[in-house]
């Protein structure tokens, strides 16, 4: 069952064009993809990364999702501002593009691409950031509450179908 099926999604296990939205059925390979990428990030960042979290819908077993892996990296508050250039350089060494704060009020955003498809998104926040706490709380709540899971899944599928070429509107309504 594919809710939106652009050719690129059919040909790859994950990845999404820059401005499109495709909500697809849960892929049991997503946790493995996260673990493999998180290990690369851990090796590259070393002690600069305090924790690495799988976030977003691909982190919720059974949840339909956009086929890209969302990751949150936490950094100690004293390290992030003063060593931002080291974080950026390390992530670029893994093939990530740096997008700056991208509206994360103190957090930073990176994306990795395979050809023209975005495959991984990484948010970098301090351990005390509300922008880090929110996706972790939501992930854990959706994993634990079947009614929240069901309602959110329905919203994602409907919005993905209606707004497949308008990622900004999809995020806003979601």
């Amino acid at each position: 069952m594919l809710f939106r099926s652009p050719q690129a999604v059919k040909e790859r296990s994950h990845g999404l064009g820059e401005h499109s939205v495709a909500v697809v059925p849960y892929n049991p390979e997503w946790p493995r993809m996260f673990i493999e990428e998180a290990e690369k990030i851990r090796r590259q960042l070393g002690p600069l990364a305090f924790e690495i979290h799988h976030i977003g819908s691909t982190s919720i077993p059974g949840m339909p999702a956009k086929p890209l892996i969302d990751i949150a990296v936490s950094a100690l508050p004293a390290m992030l501002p003063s060593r931002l250039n080291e974080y950026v350089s390390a992530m670029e060494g893994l093939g990530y593009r740096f997008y700056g704060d991208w509206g994360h009020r103190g957090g930073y955003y990176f994306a990795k691409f395979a050809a023209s498809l975005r495959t991984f998104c990484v948010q970098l926040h301090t351990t005390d950031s509300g922008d880090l706490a929110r996706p972790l709380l939501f992930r854990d709540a959706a994993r634990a509450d079947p009614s929240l899971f069901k309602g959110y899944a329905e919203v994602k599928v409907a919005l993905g179908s209606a707004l497949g070429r308008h990622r900004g509107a999809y995020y806003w309504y979601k």
Side-chain angles (χ1 to χ4, degrees), residues 17 23 37-38 44 52 59 70 81 95 97 99 123 132 148:
V23 177
E37 192 68 13
Q44 189 79 355
I52 301 173
S59 72
D70 289 308
R97 292 183 197 168
Y99 287 90
Q123 296 179 21
L132 172 63
L148 177 61

Side-chain angles (χ1 to χ4, degrees), residues 63-157:
M63 179 67 68
K66 294 181 313 303
L68 54 92
I69 310 299
D70 289 308
I71 299 171
V73 175
S74 68
L76 296 173
M79 291 180 82
L80 183 54
S82 64
R83 298 180 74 181
L84 179 60
N85 289 338
E86 291 176 63
Y87 287 98
V88 172
S89 178
M91 293 300 288
E92 287 176 343
L94 288 173
Y96 282 86
R97 292 183 197 168
F98 178 55
Y99 287 90
D101 77 359
W102 200 284
H104 284 97
R105 299 173 292 285
Y108 301 93
Y109 185 80
F110 300 84
K112 191 174 196 179
F113 292 80
S116 64
L117 298 179
R118 186 181 302 221
T119 55
F120 294 93
C121 298
V122 174
Q123 296 179 21
L124 173 63
H125 299 284
T126 58
T127 55
D128 60 355
S129 168
D131 283 340
L132 172 63
R134 275 186 291 281
L136 295 174
L137 289 170
F138 184 80
R139 176 201 65 197
D140 295 345
R143 286 175 173 174
D145 182 345
S147 65
L148 177 61
F149 176 99
K150 182 179 183 299
Y152 187 59
E154 290 170 355
V155 165
K156 290 176 65 63
V157 170

